[in-house]
Amino acid sequence: MVNVLAATHPEGTVHGEVGDTTVPLRFSGSPEALSEEYKALRERAAALDLGGHGLIEITGPDAIAFAQRVLARDVEYLTSDRCMMSLVLDADGSIVDQVIAFGREDGILLESSCGAGTRLLRHLREQNDEGVEITDRTDLTLIGLEGPYAWGVVGRLIDGELASLPFESVAEASWDGADIVFARTGFTGEYGYQMIVPRQEAARLWELCLAHARPSGQEALELAMLEVRQPMPRHEASPGASVIEIGANWLVDITKEDFVGREAVLEAFESGAGRATIGFTCVTGVPTPGTRLMAGDQVVGEVVHAVHSVGLGATLGLARVDRDLAAAGLGLSVGGVGATTLTSPYIVPKSWSVPII
């Protein structure tokens, strides 16, 4: 997937491959870049290049029935002024992707996670028994704004009333003469907004954002997501791990009568077996995935994902552990270093105490 905003990124931007796309990891090569971009997300307002997220439109007489079958949450009554997050699973209950579903008058629009658009599109086409129209909307792209004062940027750039939309609300709007789809969403626990914009207008609208907000790359965004335990399938969906073990069962409506992967999820839910995912912190070192987590001389789990947290000033990670150890405050060790298990969120977002005015 070609990132339409890549040509606008400043010299020195550090890019990296995520799935099927190239994204800005940091907008500067300086040692302070991650810290500065993270602080923009957590303390002010950050502009997010979400061009690595695919957009797939599903239309036709059976579009909703198809979406209801392939999405793990109930979207039968998803109206055009609402959106919601859901998992897409395969028949074995493994995660294909974590998506945002936008209700549309003539069907539904799905936003893939970063770098997963090609995989999601292939899966949807393989599942298309209903004969619906599945369109890769490469004519559109996404720009995000997040942070405790992102609402002020929305007010200055587009419309102050949009800033106070309820969470997961969607509205058609105009932005500097361009028709857009505006949504109140968010990945980091801070106030968050997304704009679905025409590709030919994206660079111009992005530059308008940068007059009011600092750009933050994928590394800062994923760190902030981890801190509030926002699931990230590309880091967490290790082979064989169930939705329950990953802790993403809140993105599944188990009471739905039918969806792809339901039997596998229901079996995992009813068995109570398997392991659980828990957050942990340690003072030094960033352990690689697979590093063993120890209780004394006993192996009790392994690291799934870990990074250095700017907010904590320490390592923050996720580990898959025996279910009876899925509790906060336990003293363990990882890679020979002392570690403590945590309860989420690991950082309290500033937006929780900042009102929209």
mmCIF file of all heavy atoms in Angstrom, residues 21 68 98-99 162 179 202 267 270 292 311 313 326 331:
data_model
loop_
_atom_site.group_PDB
_atom_site.id
_atom_site.type_symbol
_atom_site.label_atom_id
_atom_site.label_comp_id
_atom_site.label_asym_id
_atom_site.label_seq_id
_atom_site.Cartn_x
_atom_site.Cartn_y
_atom_site.Cartn_z
ATOM 1 N N THR A 21 2.417 -2.089 4.288
ATOM 2 C CA THR A 21 2.587 -0.661 4.045
ATOM 3 C C THR A 21 3.857 -0.124 4.699
ATOM 4 O O THR A 21 4.432 -0.747 5.592
ATOM 5 C CB THR A 21 1.364 0.118 4.571
ATOM 6 O OG1 THR A 21 1.406 1.467 4.125
ATOM 7 C CG2 THR A 21 1.319 0.110 6.095
ATOM 8 N N GLN A 68 -22.473 -8.892 9.120
ATOM 9 C CA GLN A 68 -22.886 -9.508 10.383
ATOM 10 C C GLN A 68 -22.228 -10.878 10.556
ATOM 11 O O GLN A 68 -21.868 -11.271 11.668
ATOM 12 C CB GLN A 68 -24.415 -9.634 10.404
ATOM 13 C CG GLN A 68 -25.013 -10.173 11.676
ATOM 14 C CD GLN A 68 -24.989 -9.185 12.823
ATOM 15 O OE1 GLN A 68 -24.275 -8.190 12.800
ATOM 16 N NE2 GLN A 68 -25.770 -9.474 13.855
ATOM 17 N N GLN A 98 -8.310 -6.409 13.459
ATOM 18 C CA GLN A 98 -9.134 -5.592 14.342
ATOM 19 C C GLN A 98 -9.548 -4.381 13.523
ATOM 20 O O GLN A 98 -8.692 -3.636 13.048
ATOM 21 C CB GLN A 98 -8.317 -5.174 15.558
ATOM 22 C CG GLN A 98 -9.017 -4.253 16.535
ATOM 23 C CD GLN A 98 -8.110 -3.941 17.703
ATOM 24 O OE1 GLN A 98 -7.456 -4.816 18.254
ATOM 25 N NE2 GLN A 98 -8.037 -2.684 18.085
ATOM 26 N N VAL A 99 -10.838 -4.176 13.345
ATOM 27 C CA VAL A 99 -11.325 -3.163 12.406
ATOM 28 C C VAL A 99 -12.219 -2.150 13.114
ATOM 29 O O VAL A 99 -12.725 -2.393 14.210
ATOM 30 C CB VAL A 99 -12.115 -3.809 11.246
ATOM 31 C CG1 VAL A 99 -11.254 -4.838 10.517
ATOM 32 C CG2 VAL A 99 -13.411 -4.449 11.746
ATOM 33 N N LEU A 162 -18.319 19.511 16.116
ATOM 34 C CA LEU A 162 -17.863 18.146 15.861
ATOM 35 C C LEU A 162 -16.984 17.632 16.993
ATOM 36 O O LEU A 162 -16.953 16.437 17.271
ATOM 37 C CB LEU A 162 -17.093 18.078 14.537
ATOM 38 C CG LEU A 162 -17.898 18.296 13.258
ATOM 39 C CD1 LEU A 162 -16.971 18.269 12.052
ATOM 40 C CD2 LEU A 162 -18.989 17.234 13.115
ATOM 41 N N ASP A 179 -15.103 17.413 1.026
ATOM 42 C CA ASP A 179 -16.102 16.585 1.704
ATOM 43 C C ASP A 179 -15.400 15.432 2.403
ATOM 44 O O ASP A 179 -14.614 14.698 1.791
ATOM 45 C CB ASP A 179 -17.118 16.036 0.703
ATOM 46 C CG ASP A 179 -17.991 17.134 0.109
ATOM 47 O OD1 ASP A 179 -18.225 18.146 0.793
ATOM 48 O OD2 ASP A 179 -18.428 16.974 -1.056
ATOM 49 N N ALA A 202 -5.599 14.978 0.519
ATOM 50 C CA ALA A 202 -4.985 14.573 1.781
ATOM 51 C C ALA A 202 -3.776 15.420 2.149
ATOM 52 O O ALA A 202 -3.635 15.855 3.301
ATOM 53 C CB ALA A 202 -4.603 13.093 1.727
ATOM 54 N N GLU A 267 -15.885 -22.186 22.577
ATOM 55 C CA GLU A 267 -15.197 -23.299 23.227
ATOM 56 C C GLU A 267 -14.143 -22.798 24.208
ATOM 57 O O GLU A 267 -14.040 -23.296 25.337
ATOM 58 C CB GLU A 267 -14.554 -24.186 22.164
ATOM 59 C CG GLU A 267 -13.823 -25.386 22.739
ATOM 60 C CD GLU A 267 -13.173 -26.241 21.666
ATOM 61 O OE1 GLU A 267 -13.446 -26.004 20.472
ATOM 62 O OE2 GLU A 267 -12.386 -27.143 22.021
ATOM 63 N N GLU A 270 -15.953 -21.223 27.283
ATOM 64 C CA GLU A 270 -16.617 -22.164 28.187
ATOM 65 C C GLU A 270 -15.622 -23.076 28.901
ATOM 66 O O GLU A 270 -15.874 -23.517 30.019
ATOM 67 C CB GLU A 270 -17.630 -23.003 27.408
ATOM 68 C CG GLU A 270 -18.830 -22.181 26.923
ATOM 69 C CD GLU A 270 -19.817 -23.009 26.122
ATOM 70 O OE1 GLU A 270 -19.421 -24.107 25.642
ATOM 71 O OE2 GLU A 270 -20.973 -22.575 25.977
ATOM 72 N N ARG A 292 11.426 -15.782 28.661
ATOM 73 C CA ARG A 292 10.662 -16.462 29.711
ATOM 74 C C ARG A 292 10.425 -15.568 30.933
ATOM 75 O O ARG A 292 11.314 -14.825 31.346
ATOM 76 C CB ARG A 292 11.369 -17.746 30.130
ATOM 77 C CG ARG A 292 11.402 -18.800 29.029
ATOM 78 C CD ARG A 292 12.033 -20.087 29.502
ATOM 79 N NE ARG A 292 13.419 -19.896 29.908
ATOM 80 C CZ ARG A 292 14.196 -20.871 30.374
ATOM 81 N NH1 ARG A 292 13.712 -22.090 30.501
ATOM 82 N NH2 ARG A 292 15.442 -20.619 30.724
ATOM 83 N N GLY A 311 6.306 7.425 29.371
ATOM 84 C CA GLY A 311 5.500 7.870 30.504
ATOM 85 C C GLY A 311 5.915 7.249 31.821
ATOM 86 O O GLY A 311 5.931 7.919 32.857
ATOM 87 N N GLY A 313 8.936 5.792 32.297
ATOM 88 C CA GLY A 313 10.380 5.850 32.472
ATOM 89 C C GLY A 313 10.976 4.488 32.751
ATOM 90 O O GLY A 313 11.994 4.356 33.438
ATOM 91 N N ALA A 326 -2.595 -14.159 36.637
ATOM 92 C CA ALA A 326 -3.065 -12.951 35.956
ATOM 93 C C ALA A 326 -3.595 -11.960 36.983
ATOM 94 O O ALA A 326 -4.794 -11.699 37.085
ATOM 95 C CB ALA A 326 -4.145 -13.298 34.933
ATOM 96 N N GLY A 331 5.629 -10.048 42.034
ATOM 97 C CA GLY A 331 7.054 -9.890 41.759
ATOM 98 C C GLY A 331 7.585 -11.100 41.021
ATOM 99 O O GLY A 331 7.612 -12.199 41.584
#
